[in-house]
Every structure is written in structure tokens, then in C-alpha cells.
Amino acid sequence: MKIYNKLNGKCLCGKVAWEMTGPYEFFGMCQCSRCRKVTGTAFASNLFVRSENFFWASGEDNVNEYLMDPPNTFGNSFCKNCGSRVPRFSSGRGAMMVPIGSTMDSPEIEPTLVCLGDHTDWFTDLEKLLR
Ligand SMILES: [Zn+2]
Ligand SMILES: [Zn+2]
């Protein structure tokens, strides 16, 4: 049986912290307009992990959640103190959605760029930017 690495994450101020272990379900870098708004940048980088493999280490009571009006299931969870995005349950994927930039170590799963047709004009090709 494969042993997956344990990952730790925390918000900018450190009040909200979490731990998780694999197997990781999906690592999506989503360019849709809602993900751009919620992150303020070209795409959201989220790791999806089953709820039973995710644990709040501290500060769960410091998490605030914003939900869009139904039938939207989109929302945002963030630290009440520093405003950093923190994990939230994704009903669409049935898994915890973890903003992976808050984690210092790498997950053992490759990222996938999604919503390719819905991107900014200034961000079109990551490989081109990295050249
Ligand atoms: Zn914080
Ligand atoms: Zn999106």
C-alpha cells in the first residue's frame, strides 16, 4: 500500500491551521471568473482531499464562510483575522477543497489547468510566462 505524504497548511496569521494525508483526489488550477474573483489572480490552485483525510489543527472557529445565493454552490472560506483563503467543503466534488498555496510541501499529485476557455486576456499560457 502506498503511503502518502502528510501536508500541513496555515493561513497568513497562523490562527487557522490544518493537516491532511493522501490519496489526493484532484489538484485543479481553475481559471473561471469566480475563481479569479475569489483569489484576485489568474487562477485558483486547489487540492481536493476526502473529508476523512482532512483535519483542522487549530482555529476552525476562526473561519468565516461566504456562500453565493442558491442555486450557486460557490463560496469562499477565509480566516476572520487575516482574510487568507482556507479550506472549505466542496459539495460539487464531495471533498475538502484546500488552497494549496498555503501548504509549504508539495502534494504527490500533478496539477491540472481547468476552465481553459474562461481565462483573462493577460494570462493565457503558463509555459510562455515561465520561459
Ligand atoms: Zn489568519
Ligand atoms: Zn473556478
Side-chain angles (χ1 to χ4, degrees):
M1 196 176 109
K2 181 170 169 36
I3 306 296
Y4 290 88
N5 61 337
K6 184 169 157 183
L7 297 175
N8 301 292
K10 61 183 177 185
C11 66
L12 188 61
C13 75
K15 285 192 182 218
V16 184
W18 56 91
E19 295 178 1
M20 55 196 166
T21 56
Y24 299 111
E25 303 286 298
F26 184 67
F27 181 178
M29 306 198 332
C30 184
Q31 305 181 97
C32 83
S33 59
R34 294 187 298 195
C35 285
R36 297 199 315 262
K37 282 187 189 295
V38 87
T39 60
T41 188
F43 54 84
S45 300
N46 291 310
L47 182 69
F48 293 85
V49 60
R50 283 186 222 143
S51 299
E52 61 264 33
N53 295 336
F54 176 90
F55 312 92
W56 293 104
S58 65
E60 189 180 358
D61 58 345
N62 216 47
V63 174
N64 214 353
E65 186 173 44
Y66 162 76
L67 291 170
M68 291 180 79
D69 291 332
N72 286 298
T73 57
F74 199 87
N76 189 27
S77 289
F78 50 94
C79 170
K80 287 178 195 171
N81 190 49
C82 71
S84 301
R85 291 186 71 227
V86 299
R88 65 186 298 265
F89 185 74
S90 163
S91 53
R93 286 197 173 267
M96 288 301 287
M97 182 177 78
V98 180
I100 194 61
S102 304
T103 297
M104 300 317 283
D105 296 313
S106 296
E108 295 171 318
I109 183 172
E110 294 293 318
T112 303
L113 200 58
V114 296
C115 286
L116 299 175
D118 183 11
H119 57 74
T120 62
D121 289 337
W122 48 268
F123 179 83
T124 54
D125 185 344
L126 189 58
E127 285 185 18
K128 195 169 94 186
L129 290 175
L130 294 174
R131 252 181 253 143

